[in-house]
Amino acid sequence: MSVGYQVSSDHQLARLLQIGIVLEEVVEARAYHHHEELDEDALDEEIRALLSHAAEESADHRERLEAVIDRLAVDSVPFEEIEALVEAQYGQTKPEDFDGVLYDQLCNEETAYKFYDDVIEAIEASEAQFSIDREELVATLSAIRDEEAEGVEEVTRIMEDRE
């Protein structure tokens, strides 16, 4: 998803952060899906640890995003509306559409990284005043984006090691 514009209000920012929350839920759900759907032999310890970490990290990211939204001077957009937006944009693929757990996880990590990168870019391009400190907001989102980048690197490393 390319944000493709400046974030001009707390309301727009809250909506984008809610999209981030749903994306994190998708990542967590897909990690759990792989844990449950694949037999024990298909998931070695390294992949099991990767999926577990991805789920825990997603839960942490959701909590951090929710904390930011709670500090904004806005009423929350109904969650069903956000889920529909995410489904339309990101729901085109399912875990089984990928050639293996690692490819699915790589897609999830890259999608999240790009989303946060786009949101940060839109915030930085904006001259709007938010009800939360802009530097703190960008720092929070940058930390989450950096963790997603680390996830991309980790999955890529594992994939390369298995070639």
Side-chain angles (χ1 to χ4, degrees), residues 19-120:
I19 290 170
I21 289 169
V22 174
L23 282 174
E24 295 293 352
E25 286 180 345
V26 169
V27 171
E28 186 174 2
R30 286 171 91 136
Y32 284 128
H33 169 82
H34 289 305
H35 255 292
E36 292 176 9
E37 295 298 315
L38 297 175
D39 64 36
E40 293 299 313
D41 296 333
L43 291 177
D44 61 37
E45 194 56 42
E46 188 174 37
I47 292 177
R48 212 181 311 279
L50 176 77
L51 294 173
S52 180
H53 176 74
E56 290 169 11
E57 184 179 83
S58 290
D60 175 63
H61 290 175
R62 277 199 327 274
E63 289 173 11
R64 288 156 63 188
L65 294 172
E66 288 167 354
V68 171
I69 292 169
D70 287 346
R71 294 177 51 210
L72 293 172
V74 296
D75 291 327
S76 187
V77 174
F79 209 65
E80 298 76 32
E81 208 175 296
I82 299 300
E83 284 183 316
L85 284 173
V86 172
E87 179 66 27
Q89 184 68 33
Y90 300 102
Q92 308 305 316
T93 60
K94 304 294 179 212
E96 54 274 1
D97 292 338
F98 291 90
D99 189 23
V101 173
L102 291 174
Y103 284 103
D104 185 49
Q105 190 59 35
L106 181 61
C107 177
N108 292 337
E109 299 282 357
E110 287 176 334
T111 299
Y113 173 85
K114 178 68 172 137
F115 173 79
Y116 292 114
D117 196 52
D118 287 349
V119 172
I120 291 166

Side-chain angles (χ1 to χ4, degrees), residues 136-154:
E136 180 184 347
L137 172 63
V138 170
T140 298
L141 295 175
S142 294
I144 293 172
R145 178 192 59 195
D146 292 348
E147 290 167 8
E148 298 296 352
E150 290 170 8
V152 169
E153 291 170 6
E154 178 65 11

